[in-house]
Every structure is written in C-alpha cells, then in structure tokens.
C-alpha cells in the first residue's frame, strides 16, 4: 500500500467539503429577479385533479356536457386553509392548468385552461385536449380510459424582462410563456380578439425533449409566429413553476413528478436503498448488451461499461455481469480490433479516427478487470504497444481524457516493458491545470476528466511530492463542484459538469476517484480517518446517483411495453430525460463503493 503524506490527507479531505467561491464562467448570469412560486395544493387534492380531467372527458362523451356545466366533486369544493391563498377551496384556486394526453407514450393532445378556478380550468383543458386531430376519428370510452393523462398546474406567472429571461429559467423546473397582443385573455373588445396570441413551454416538456432555456425561448417564438395584425406589438414573457402529475390508465396509479422523477429526499435513501439501486443499474446495463457487444453507444462508453460490469461481477460474485462484460469485449474484438501489418500492435477502429486512442485505452482497461487469461496477454501487449507508440498529442492538441485513461490502463495492465513513461503522468497533471495557471488544456477541464486524471496518477507507479500536491489541488477543484446548497432539490449531492446542472457521469467518477484515493492511503489509521472525512460527501453523491435511476412509473413518455426496460436506466443529468450507458456505468461505480 502506498504511503501518502498526512498533509495530503488534510488537503484531500478538506477539499471534499469546499464550495466554489468565484463565479462559475459556465453558469448563466442570474440577476436579482422575482422567481415564480410553485402552486400550493393540499396533498390529497393532487391525485383527484387528473381523475377529474379523465371523468370530464368521459362525461362529455356520454352527454356532451360543456365545461361550465360539469359538476365538481365535493372533495375539491371543501374549504382548505392554504398558506399562500388563505381559506379557499381547491376548485377556486387561481391556477391555470394544462392537460396533456398520451396514447401508449405518444403525445396526442394538449390544451391550456385559464381564467377560471382551478377545477374549471382542468375540465376546460381536458375537453379541448380531447378534440385533438391526433386522436382517433371515433373516440370511445375505451380510448379515453386507455390514455395517460398528464396534468400541469401552473403557479404564479411572473412577467419577466426578455434580457433576463434565460438567466431565470431552470429547465425542467421553470416554464416559459409568451403573450402578444392588445388585451388580456379575459377582455372582449371588438376586433381585438384576433390580435391576442399566447404560447408556452411546460417544464415537463423541456425535460422530456432535453431543451435548454434558449431552446425553450426559441420554441415560443417559433410557435407564435408572425401576426401581421400585431406588427409592432411587443410580446410579454412570463415564467412559472408547475406541479406535474401523471395519471396512468387502469390501476397503474397517479404520480407527482419533480423534473420528471418521483422526488425522493436524500436522507430517506439508506444503505439498503443504495444497494438496491446498485443492482438495478447493473441489471439495466446487462440487459442493454447484445450478442455483438454494441449496446448502441460509442465504443469507448461500451468498454467503460464492460470494465465496471466486470468489477461488479467480481465484487458481487455475479456471473451474469462477468458474462455481459465478456460479450462487450468479445464483440468489440471481433468487429473493431485491427492488427498492424507487422502484427506488433493492435488498435480499436472507430467511426471517428480521433476516438481510436480513447477506445483502445478503454479496451485495454476493460481487459484488466477480466479473469487472468494467458491468451489475453498477447492482445494486451499489442494494445499497449499501440498506446505507447502513439502518445495522445498531435496537431489537434493534447487530449487530457485519452492520456489519463491510457496511463491508467497501462499501469493496471502491469505488462512487462509496457509501463507508461514517467513524464506522461507529469505532463498529464500539468495539462489538467487551468490554462491561466500554466495548464495546457484550454478552458475549464470537465469534472469527469479530472477524476480520470487523479485515478491515473494514483494507479500503481512512481509518484513524487510535487505530483502529490498537484493531485490534491485537482481533488480540491473537484470537491468544489459538488452541489450542496441549491434551490433545485434534485441537484443535491451531484458534481457539476458544465453549467449549473450536476452530471451523473461526473458524480459517479468523482465518487470512484475519492474511494481510490482513500484506498491509496498508507500508514496507521490514515486510511480510516480519510474514509470517515469523505463519508458525508460520498454518501450525498451516491444518493444523487440513485435518484438519477429511472423507475418504470417515470417513463410515461415511452410505450407501456417498454417502461419496464427503463428500470435502472441512468439519466445523464437531472433536467434531461436522456439516458446513456456511460452515465449508468458511472452510477454503478459510485454505488459499488461502500
């Protein structure tokens, strides 16, 4: 076990709790503006409102009863005392409502109800949504009962200056609305009705489609279009928060979602829940490996997943995980591994030649986690020769990530005469420093890349005091990027990537790096002391990764038959519905630490 100086222990542990002091250049400027408040509703009313929408459509189908004449359940008319509204009823709350209808995951109708009390808004929006031309020509009760009903209840709508609009939008949490015209929706003036137009983007829409603030703004402008009668009329922008409730057909249940996921408080995720999350994401990765090992993702990402699955299989004595890793490695070897003409080197061929070194390094790294096999040593040696003969710097610049993975793979392979040159690690650590501090990398080095740098430098091999100081500085930079104080609840514990949103990849790799740093400590009691000091930040990060894993009930936007396959898939970040193999692999790495 390597000896690391006590000073390094202090620096690395303290850095895990550090918070950024300077403004992040990648974070949009946030001026002092009034932020919209979410709608305030009694908990018991939330499942009743989407049910009201479905019942209103069924009632209209049978009796053609308009929205204004439909009955409102007594439970919604009963008086309640709400902090923001005083004594009132749910039915009369001044909240707009958007009803969205999905047929087996496909959006088939959406409409806004506004200008009445909440219950009437829900009913009106439901009846408008069911008139969508995307629904069958003949709508039956069976069709309506088979729809998924999404209900978005809009809180206060805050008029927002366009010059601060992008800075006040949090995708997935904040919606945006654009109004253009001479009047408010409730006024009736002859000839003015044609001038008023309105459009919006819901927080849930941005989350499913992966839109950022600029894309939300563009969508509003695109949908509103150009109205010759309104030439010269300035549009008014509004931002709002919304409660998002999904009601599945049949007995599947009603769920309130926060940025597309069931909100779970971090403190409720205990050791058993973390272990269950670990096994769920591992099972998802195993399900997403085909016989050729392609998995539908970039080769380097697949091979990273193979490396993690092989280690998970060894840790949990899981033959299926080891088999899945073998399938990925074998598929890449059959389809993408190429020998040189003299058969002295081997490399992984990728669609983009620039990715070949990284994929080759990941291939070598993945093989180091597999059971020892004398036949594999020959291929490993050829891969190592290619990496050593082709250092990852050329006319296109220095690739910090590729160099880090190559150093880590070469050191872990422990092949004769195949160790990376000592100057590789020194150059790598120098490159990871900010450009303004003598570093070679341009701009802000990604958190995930920095984690790979530390893992490479701490892998078995020579290292000196100066390099230890550089490593501690990098760990401090990583530690300062953990999101611990945020008004957005699902960011807690995650490590920032680029911008204000934490990334699952960055968080998983940061946890794995911290665990390896703790294991590298030598000397009496030092490793245990470091693990104790890192326990809090690492637990918060592991809980973040667990929260990023899908449950079937959260995949309302995919066909019902596919929802079970989403169980354990990892979001790339909290504000996007997108998943990826490398995010799942990083989450598994974090959840494997104990």
């Amino acid at each position: 076990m390597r000896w690391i100086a006590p000073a390094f222990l202090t620096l690395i542990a303290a850095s895990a709790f550090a918070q950024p002091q300077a403004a992040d250049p990648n974070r949009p400027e946030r001026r002092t503006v009034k932020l919209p408040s979410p709608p305030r509703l009694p908990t018991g009313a939330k499942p009743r409102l989407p049910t009201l929408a479905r019942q209103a459509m069924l009632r209209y189908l049978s009796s053609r009863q308009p929205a204004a004449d439909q009955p409102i359940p007594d439970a919604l008319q009963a008086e309640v005392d709400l902090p923001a509204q005083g004594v009132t009823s749910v039915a009369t709350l001044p909240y707009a409502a958007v009803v969205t209808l999905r047929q087996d995951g496909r959006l088939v109708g959406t409409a806004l109800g506004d200008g009445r009390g909440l219950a009437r808004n829900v009913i009106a929006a439901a009846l408008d949504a069911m008139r969508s031309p995307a629904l069958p020509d003949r709508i039956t009760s069976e069709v309506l009962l088979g729809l998924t009903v999404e209900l978005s209840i809009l809180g206060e709508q805050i008029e927002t200056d366009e010059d601060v609009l992008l800075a006040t939008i949090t995708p997935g949490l904040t919606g945006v609305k654009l109004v253009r015209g001479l009047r408010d929706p409730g006024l009736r003036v002859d000839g003015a009705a044609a001038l008023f137009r309105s459009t919006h983007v819901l927080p849930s829409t941005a989350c499913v489609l992966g839109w950022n603030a600029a894309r939300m703004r563009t969508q509003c402008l695109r949908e509103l279009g150009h109205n010759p009668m309104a030439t010269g009329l300035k549009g008014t922008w509004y931002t709002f928060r919304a409660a998002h409730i999904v009601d599945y057909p049949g007995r599947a249940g009603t769920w309130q979602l926060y940025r597309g996921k069931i909100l779970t408080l971090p403190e409720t995720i205990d050791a058993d829940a973390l272990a269950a999350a670990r096994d769920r994401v591992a099972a998802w990765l195993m399900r997403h490996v085909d016989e050729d090992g392609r998995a539908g993702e970039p080769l380097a990402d697949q091979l990273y997943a193979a490396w993690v699955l092989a280690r998970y299989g060894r840790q949990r004595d899981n033959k299926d995980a080891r088999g899945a890793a073998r399938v990925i490695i074998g598929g890449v070897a059959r389809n993408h591994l190429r020998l040189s003409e003299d058969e002295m080197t081997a490399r992984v061929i990728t669609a983009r030649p620039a990715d070949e070194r990284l994929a080759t390094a990941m291939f070598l790294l993945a093989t180091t986690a597999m059971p020892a096999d004398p036949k594999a040593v020959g291929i490993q040696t050829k891969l190592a020769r290619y990496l050593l003969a082709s250092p990852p710097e050329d006319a296109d610049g220095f690739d910090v990530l590729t160099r880090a993975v190559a150093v880590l793979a070469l050191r872990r392979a422990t092949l004769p005469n195949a160790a990376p040159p000592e100057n590789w690690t020194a150059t790598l650590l120098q490159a990871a420093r900010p450009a303004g501090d003598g570093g070679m990398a341009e701009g802000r080095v990604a958190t995930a890349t920095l984690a790979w740098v530390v893992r490479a430098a701490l892998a078995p091999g020579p290292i000196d005091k100066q390099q230890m100081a550089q490593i501690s500085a990098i760990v401090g930079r990583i530690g300062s990027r953990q999101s611990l104080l945020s008004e957005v609840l699902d960011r807690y514990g995650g490590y920032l990537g680029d911008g204000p949103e934490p990334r699952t990849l960055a968080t998983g790799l940061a946890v794995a790096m911290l665990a390896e740093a703790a294991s590298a400590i030598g000397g009496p009691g030092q490793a245990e002391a470091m693990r104790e000091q890192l326990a809090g930040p690492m637990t918060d990060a592991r809980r973040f990764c667990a929260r990023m894993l899908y449950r079937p009930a959260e995949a309302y936007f995919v066909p019902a038959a596919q929802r079970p396959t989403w169980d354990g898939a990892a979001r790339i970040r909290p504000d996007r519905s997108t998943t990826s193999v490398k995010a799942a692999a990083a989450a598994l790495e974090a959840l494997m630490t104990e």
Side-chain angles (χ1 to χ4, degrees):
M1 184 174 290
R2 183 183 305 170
W3 174 270
I4 295 183
F8 177 59
L9 168 62
T10 303
L11 281 169
I12 195 172
S15 67
F17 295 95
Q19 287 297 303
Q21 301 299 317
D24 189 331
N26 292 280
R27 189 188 300 266
E29 179 187 1
R30 184 179 291 275
R31 304 186 194 180
T32 303
V33 295
K34 183 180 180 182
L35 299 178
S37 299
R40 307 294 182 183
L41 296 167
T43 302
K46 293 173 183 176
R48 291 191 177 101
L49 289 166
T51 300
L52 175 66
R54 195 186 299 274
Q55 290 174 342
M57 292 187 291
L58 290 168
R59 189 175 291 111
Y60 183 83
L61 186 66
S62 63
S63 64
R64 291 297 187 266
Q65 196 170 13
D69 297 338
Q70 293 217 11
I72 298 172
D74 292 341
L76 296 178
Q77 298 194 72
E79 288 189 345
V80 292
D81 190 0
L82 297 174
Q85 304 293 340
V87 178
T88 183
S89 70
V90 174
T92 58
L93 286 171
Y95 295 144
V98 176
V99 171
T100 301
L101 306 178
R102 292 183 182 271
Q103 191 170 49
D104 204 24
R106 181 174 61 92
L107 191 150
V108 292
T110 185
L112 168 70
D114 200 358
R116 314 165 185 84
L118 176 58
R120 293 289 174 209
N121 289 338
V122 170
I123 294 172
L127 298 191
D128 284 347
M130 72 179 290
R131 297 186 178 96
S132 168
L135 284 166
D137 293 335
R138 182 173 179 271
I139 299 178
T140 65
S141 59
E142 288 75 15
V143 170
L144 295 178
L145 290 171
L147 296 175
T148 295
V149 177
E150 282 183 70
L151 176 62
S152 294
I153 303 169
L154 280 55
E156 64 171 339
Q157 301 176 39
I158 301 297
E159 185 173 340
T160 306
D161 292 339
E162 189 169 5
D163 61 344
V164 298
L165 181 69
L166 299 186
T168 60
I169 294 175
T170 300
L173 191 67
T174 312
V176 62
K177 179 180 177 181
L178 175 60
V179 173
R180 183 182 295 155
L182 294 176
R183 64 172 185 83
D184 290 332
L187 297 178
R188 287 293 176 185
V189 179
D190 291 341
L195 297 179
F196 178 83
R197 299 190 68 194
S198 172
T199 188
H200 62 268
V201 174
L202 294 172
S204 57
T205 300
C207 191
V208 169
L209 299 178
W211 289 351
N212 60 16
R215 181 66 177 83
M216 294 169 69
R217 175 183 176 275
T218 299
Q219 185 65 21
C220 284
L221 293 171
R222 184 177 297 166
E223 288 188 2
L224 205 58
H226 175 67
N227 185 346
M229 298 180 66
T231 300
L233 295 177
K234 182 180 179 181
T236 302
W237 291 94
Y238 297 87
T239 53
F240 59 87
R241 296 270 297 274
H244 183 212
I245 308 167
V246 178
D247 182 42
Y248 287 100
R251 298 182 179 179
T254 300
W255 303 89
Q256 182 173 0
L257 304 181
Y258 182 93
R259 297 221 284 185
K261 299 198 92 282
I262 300 168
L263 186 62
T264 305
L265 297 178
E267 56 269 21
T268 66
I269 305 175
D270 57 15
D272 290 339
L274 291 173
R278 174 200 64 206
D279 295 338
R280 285 174 53 227
V281 68
W284 184 87
L285 280 170
M286 287 184 266
R287 289 196 305 270
H288 283 73
V289 175
D290 62 25
E291 63 276 9
D292 293 325
R294 288 191 294 269
E297 305 260 352
L299 289 179
D301 297 350
Q302 297 173 45
L303 291 164
Y304 170 47
W307 181 54
V308 177
L309 279 173
R311 291 157 50 219
Y312 170 80
R314 184 171 64 239
Q315 182 190 85
R316 311 304 305 171
D317 193 22
N318 188 310
K319 294 180 180 179
D320 292 337
R322 293 195 296 267
R326 191 175 296 109
V327 166
I328 297 174
I329 294 171
V332 173
R334 285 191 304 273
N335 299 316
H336 301 281
L337 197 63
R338 296 292 184 272
L339 296 176
S340 60
E341 290 186 4
D342 59 5
E343 298 188 356
M344 293 297 291
T345 64
R347 74 184 192 278
V348 175
I349 301 297
T350 60
R352 293 178 65 249
D355 298 334
E356 288 184 359
R357 294 189 187 112
L358 178 59
T360 301
M362 281 291 188
F363 189 95
L364 177 59
L365 184 62
T367 63
T368 64
M370 299 300 291
D373 182 358
K375 296 180 181 179
V377 174
I379 291 296
Q380 288 178 327
T381 301
K382 297 178 191 299
L383 294 167
R385 287 179 186 145
Y386 170 77
L387 293 173
L388 290 167
S390 306
E393 62 257 28
D394 50 30
D396 296 327
F398 185 92
D399 188 335
V400 179
L401 175 60
T402 299
R403 167 61 64 88
V405 177
V407 170
L408 179 61
L410 289 167
R411 285 187 168 187
R412 293 207 174 189
T414 63
L415 297 166
N417 303 316
E422 292 186 17
N423 68 318
W424 276 30
T425 303
T427 307
L428 176 64
L429 292 170
Q430 178 71 14
R433 296 170 62 186
D437 190 26
M440 296 169 58
E442 294 184 6
R444 182 178 188 265
V445 181
T447 304
T449 299
L450 291 178
W452 281 113
V453 169
V454 174
R455 299 176 82 174
L458 291 177
I463 192 167
D464 57 34
K465 291 182 179 180
Q466 180 182 358
Q467 291 172 346
M468 279 296 182
Q470 290 175 313
I471 292 171
S472 66
I474 295 172
V475 174
R477 287 162 60 193
I478 294 174
S480 72
R481 296 178 186 179
Q482 188 173 26
S483 179
L484 296 177
L485 299 174
S486 175
E487 62 192 27
V488 185
L489 302 179
D490 58 3
R491 289 176 178 169
Y492 187 85
Y495 283 81
L496 301 181
D498 50 348
E501 293 294 340
R503 298 292 187 108
T504 307
L505 177 66
T507 303
L509 287 169
V511 172
M513 176 274 296
L514 290 172
E516 290 175 9
S519 298
I521 298 296
Q526 289 190 32
E528 186 62 30
M530 184 173 184
R531 278 192 288 269
E532 288 180 2
Q533 294 194 54
L534 294 178
M538 289 176 64
T539 297
D540 290 335
R542 295 173 70 218
R543 287 170 169 168
F544 171 86
C545 290
R547 295 198 308 275
M548 288 301 100
L549 304 185
Y550 269 102
R551 306 172 192 176
E554 297 163 336
Y556 61 90
F557 47 85
V558 302
Q562 295 181 15
R563 285 177 200 141
T565 68
W566 281 63
D567 187 26
R571 279 190 173 193
I572 61 172
R573 48 194 277 185
D575 64 329
R576 303 280 175 90
S577 64
T578 311
T579 65
S580 73
V581 163
K582 66 181 179 182
L588 180 54
E589 276 216 271
L591 294 166
M592 283 166 55
T593 62
E594 297 177 352

